[in-house]
Amino acid sequence: MSLQTRSMERTSAGEKQQTWHQYRIFIEEMNSLIGSALVEEFRNDNENDFNPNIIVGNGESLPRGATKLINAADPKELGQVVLDCDIVIFHQNYCRAEYAYKLLKHGQYQQTKTFILISNPMTWSTTPLKDRKNDETAMRQSMGGETEEQPFLKKYDKFTENDLPLRKIHFLERLKHLEQQIMVCDKPQMHAYIITPGLVYGNGEDILYDLFKTAWMTPDAELPIYGDGNNIIPMIHVNDLANIVNKTVQLTPNERYIFAVDYENMTQKKLITTIAKSVGNGFTKNVTTATEKMLTINVWMRSTQVFESDDQYIDAKKNPIIIWQCKEGFAKNILKIREQFKLYRGLDTVKLIVHGGTASGKSNLCKQLANFYRIPHIQIKPLIQELIEQQSDLGELVRTTLQQVKEQLVSEALAIFEAEKKKKKVPKGQPEPVFDPSGIQPRLPDSVLIQIYRWRLDQNDAQNLGYVLDGFPKTLEQYEKLFLNEEGQLLESIKPKGVIYLEYPDEQLKEKAKQIIDNPRYVEDQVVKRLANFRKNNEQLLQQYEQFDIKRISDQENAFEQSKDFITRNGPILVLQDVKDEEVVQTEEQQDDVTPSPQVNSSQQDKVSAAQQSQVQQSQVGPKKKGDQLNKSINESRLSKDNKKLTDEQKQDLIRQQERELLDQRSQPLRQYLADNVVPFLTEGLINICEKHPENPLQFLADFLEQKGNELQALGQ
């Protein structure tokens, strides 16, 4: 909901006219995860294009909905903007936040202003959990819809905003000092608030970004759990945090200190396991060293009741003021969060069906595409074998069905064998024929096949990266059962984005089938029969495939290149992992077609390398974590492999370059400190020297800097 005030007036024609009040809002770091969510929350240009809110702030680029970028490192410019704005929100640089707060505290202005400091949950990290004194709190939490899944939580109570005096801070002293000033602010024209969020998640991710990236990109990754993982982590979706900030500005509550956390009792172990199961392969491991301090926090906070009804434990759900996106928390909304990560990071999926007749080369092309784009190659035989070995309900269904089908086929074949045996008398001296059921191969019915394919398409790697379906579906009925729901609508989560049709004439397919030896399925009569079935169902399937775009390929030699061009028809596709060093090799046929694999020449390899260097297309409203994008790790991986091919001199040059980059990275904090606190004033002094040409420029500069320091000290900076 956008921040706005409305008044209703009647026009001469009797119609109602809306009058909008325009707010001037400063938001720090507008390109960050929190900053971009705040911009989206407070912008109202999509509703009011006459006098929308004016949103200014600092950042790398001007986000959609914002009006102007400023240089927050310039105290003069920052001060002018802060004093000019109605709403000022800081969430990252607490030094600048303190400077802005003191300007508003001691400045002279007529209109009421609101100052919001989004604090850090680490300020509570050294405070011991609050012991439970009685069972009343447990009853209230239960009535509030909260569940206690971990038994050890029964020992403790949640912190509320009233427990602020219990907080113990052993670091972040500057932030603590700023919070203390805000808590005692008594200026009538100024509303000042501290909002302490939990671990912020959602959209493109920030703190959880590395965990998402690892689970997304690495098939065999084990996500780390620090210690036993039972520490309690308060959390909140970034859009819910932005909504709470908006409500605080609108309603101006009496409480100055507000918690912004959801209603979930989240532990580190539950958090990491949820990401592993819903984004990655489900594997985790225990580690002794934490890579992210926020994941070690052990604080149990109650979701704020500031905006709820008086009877906060019973009526909190009836008329909520906060419009929650993830009130129930991270675990219950993980699928939504996963889709947001894909959207805000500009990721795309490659979802293909490779369609064609017998021996058209489907499996070989699927293998090449799967290797290049690092997506699952989905074939029925490996799936069935995997499920036979799997202890699951679907695995049990596959084993039972195969056994039943085989028993039926064996019974029918035995009856035919016995009947034939009675008709023919065995000549004397020759052995009696023996029935051999070993050659009977049972086939699963479509009802079970559809369940197998649905199960595979719903797995995380297929949802995150995409898939290439090898020659399935074969009939219109299979297509409808696989991709349509009960209402006849396409299932958005698994539907393909394109179809590659290997369109070869029957005579060409028969010739290719003759090259396949030692496979009874490719004898001439079997090939003719299978091609007849293919042609029978082909037209109906192609009519359905038209809605996904069809690439018809009739040139076997260039099938792979044409397929890549088709996949990137709407722009480059992010390749999440590096292609293996070895070339694409010819693979044995595993399903119902085999074709000789064309050799991959050097020009094709160059195209492969060029395609893999495509960058992540960042969403316009998506956050950017310290300039990092998913393809950064891809380029690093590719660079490490290219090093093997470099000469000694080239390697030394590369090492020197990497050292320079490392030194540059390590010096960044110092350079930023100088840029924020020294360079602006030194530059101003040098400009004065150039204008006035003093006889002793060094003494003049020293006096100027001393005077500037006294002025800043008087302002409290």
Side-chain angles (χ1 to χ4, degrees), residues 275-483:
I275 297 175
K277 289 182 177 179
S278 301
V279 181
N281 54 25
F283 298 139
T284 61
K285 63 180 178 181
N286 291 90
V287 298
T288 57
T289 303
T291 57
E292 173 57 60
K293 289 185 178 180
M294 189 69 74
L295 296 176
T296 67
I297 193 173
N298 191 22
V299 180
W300 201 14
M301 296 178 174
R302 187 189 71 181
S303 185
T304 185
Q305 306 293 329
V306 169
F307 308 112
E308 306 294 354
S309 60
D310 293 335
D311 194 356
Q312 55 192 8
Y313 296 105
I314 297 176
D315 295 335
K317 289 186 175 181
K318 288 187 177 179
N319 296 299
I321 294 176
I322 301 172
I323 310 301
W324 291 90
Q325 283 197 16
C326 296
K327 182 176 183 178
E328 302 84 1
F330 184 86
K332 292 186 177 180
N333 292 280
I334 182 60
L335 297 182
K336 178 197 299 184
I337 296 165
R338 184 179 69 181
E339 290 303 310
Q340 287 180 344
F341 181 77
K342 183 188 301 184
L343 172 65
Y344 278 75
R345 288 290 170 182
L347 303 178
D348 201 358
T349 54
V350 180
K351 297 182 177 181
L352 290 173
I353 295 174
V354 176
H355 178 66
T358 303
S360 59
K362 298 188 295 293
S363 291
N364 184 70
L365 179 59
C366 288
K367 183 68 174 179
Q368 290 177 301
L369 293 173
N371 285 341
F372 183 79
Y373 288 106
R374 310 308 296 166
I375 56 178
H377 176 191
I378 299 180
Q379 292 179 298
I380 191 58
K381 283 190 176 181
L383 287 182
I384 293 174
Q385 187 59 41
E386 179 182 351
L387 287 168
I388 288 175
E389 300 171 359
Q390 190 179 102
Q391 298 302 318
S392 64
D393 292 341
L394 184 55
E396 181 63 29
L397 174 63
V398 170
R399 288 190 294 271
T400 302
T401 305
L402 284 174
Q403 183 64 30
Q404 292 174 351
V405 172
K406 185 165 185 177
E407 289 176 356
Q408 182 179 354
L409 292 176
V410 168
S411 176
E412 294 174 355
L414 180 59
I416 296 173
F417 174 81
E418 292 295 342
E420 293 292 332
K421 183 179 177 181
K422 291 179 180 180
K423 293 180 181 179
K424 297 180 181 180
K425 292 183 178 181
V426 180
K428 292 182 180 181
Q430 293 188 6
E432 288 280 339
V434 178
F435 178 69
D436 181 13
S438 61
I440 298 176
Q441 297 296 327
R443 297 177 64 88
L444 290 171
D446 282 358
S447 59
V448 179
L449 286 177
I450 297 302
Q451 292 186 58
I452 294 174
Y453 277 105
R454 283 268 185 97
W455 165 78
R456 186 63 185 89
L457 294 176
D458 281 332
Q459 290 186 25
N460 292 333
D461 57 351
Q463 289 293 312
N464 297 342
L465 310 176
Y467 59 79
V468 53
L469 266 176
D470 192 341
F472 192 90
K474 300 178 184 297
T475 67
L476 178 62
E477 184 179 5
Q478 289 176 341
Y479 163 83
E480 292 175 343
K481 289 182 178 179
L482 178 60
F483 292 117

Side-chain angles (χ1 to χ4, degrees), residues 28-56:
E28 182 199 18
E29 295 296 343
M30 294 190 293
N31 298 121
S32 66
L33 180 70
I34 295 177
S36 60
L38 289 170
V39 170
E40 285 297 310
E41 178 70 25
F42 282 96
R43 59 177 295 213
N44 64 347
D45 54 310
N46 52 345
E47 303 174 36
N48 170 27
D49 57 359
F50 177 68
N51 59 340
N53 292 334
I54 299 174
I55 300 176
V56 300

Side-chain angles (χ1 to χ4, degrees), residues 625-648:
K625 184 192 177 186
K626 300 177 183 178
D628 186 19
Q629 293 181 339
L630 284 178
N631 63 320
K632 179 180 178 181
S633 60
I634 303 168
N635 295 333
E636 292 172 351
S637 175
R638 183 180 296 110
L639 183 61
S640 66
K641 293 182 179 181
D642 289 343
N643 288 347
K644 299 177 182 179
K645 305 176 184 179
L646 299 177
T647 65
D648 291 340

